[in-house]
Amino acid sequence: MLSAHHPRRAAAAAVLAAAALLLATGCSSDDDGPSGDKSAESGSADPSASPSGDAADAPPEKGSAEVTKTLATGLKSPWGLAPLPDGDLLVSSRDEGTITRIDGESGKKTEVGSVPGVAAAGEGGLMGLALSPTYASDHQVYAYFTTESDNRIARMLYDEKKPSGQQLGAPDTVFKDIPKGVIHNGGRIAFGPDKMLYAGTGETGETDLAQDKKSLGGKILRLTPDGDPAPGNPFADSPVYSLGHRNVQGLDWDEDKRLWASEFGQDTWDELNEIKAGDNYGWPEVEGKDDSDDAFHAPVAQWKTSEASPSGVAYAKGSVWMAGLRGERLWRIPVRGVTGEPKTEAFLTEKYGRLRTVVAAGGDKLWLVTSETDSRGTPGKEDDRILEVRVK
């Protein structure tokens, strides 16, 4: 499915390529447990800094989200999603360790290949995907996955000319030794506007890791494309960008280059955070907003764990859109031009089941991935699905 085979997509190619580089763009084993038990352009070292604050008008007070198309069905434990420049999509299967290409118009599925070394168990397996910031020339696909010994990030050459199932080159590990566990493996990766690689990790259920600056667990990491600590990181010779996280599975940026991340809570509050370099987001000392200790960065918004258990996030039309697993809904959090606490809205509530990943696809369009076949859902005959959603 080379882009040359899709001339009708050429007009959108530039927009979709940009969206691909901003991919973000998946509570404990309670992440969504049914009972709720415990339940680039700038090169700036701090891409969360807002250059102006008035890049565009604020989003409307009331938003909307409408599913306009079911693009693909019958996916098994889908997790990561990476739009290709021609409008097709790459999707990872957490439990099967495979990557599949989805035709962006017909939904036809073509297996790209398997990722060697994936050891899927519990919440671990083949998770986040991201395209190299120089994908047009190097055709490298990055993946975050669990092995027998750790969580790691590797890149693979994607050769579309090879036979189906044999299109992935051997993994080149760029970063390893991220703690693994049955729960809380993090897994989302994304290249930021600064062309650095960001990764959300979990604390594997060992809560002390989140506050340990020497541990890679419970952090957001910032790396060069080769896996080295990125220049300008807040802690010398460290890949750690922020700490005090429980299980980060959503990352995306707005037009002011502010980084937004979703956070699984435990018993009380799930969070959306604006990430600042070097800041501490409180776990396990704080869950949700707590004005008693200003050492911790408070969330922009919070929800009961029964209403969210958030995974992926995407930025579009002035709002962050957050996929809910246990909550089975898509949250809208207006952030552009908004001061104070944003007024959040829920859409698609309990209509499509558990929602794992959401990716901006340019303009008012999102791709939304369901998560009913990950052992915690109740899959229907079409699950899992990729949905096209129009938002405002």
Side-chain angles (χ1 to χ4, degrees), residues 102-137:
I102 310 294
D103 186 287
E105 293 183 353
S106 70
K108 179 183 176 182
K109 294 177 286 189
T110 304
E111 184 172 322
V112 171
S114 297
V115 178
V118 172
E123 294 176 6
L126 178 58
M127 293 177 282
L129 298 178
L131 301 185
S132 162
T134 51
Y135 179 82
S137 59

Side-chain angles (χ1 to χ4, degrees), residues 318-343:
S319 296
V320 174
W321 300 85
M322 187 178 81
L325 288 162
R326 185 178 167 215
E328 297 187 4
R329 65 201 74 181
L330 180 66
W331 284 100
R332 174 187 185 254
I333 307 97
V335 296
R336 185 173 63 201
V338 174
T339 58
E341 186 170 349
K343 295 181 180 179

Side-chain angles (χ1 to χ4, degrees), residues 45-61:
D46 183 4
S48 64
S50 173
S52 64
D54 59 353
D57 295 334
E61 183 176 352

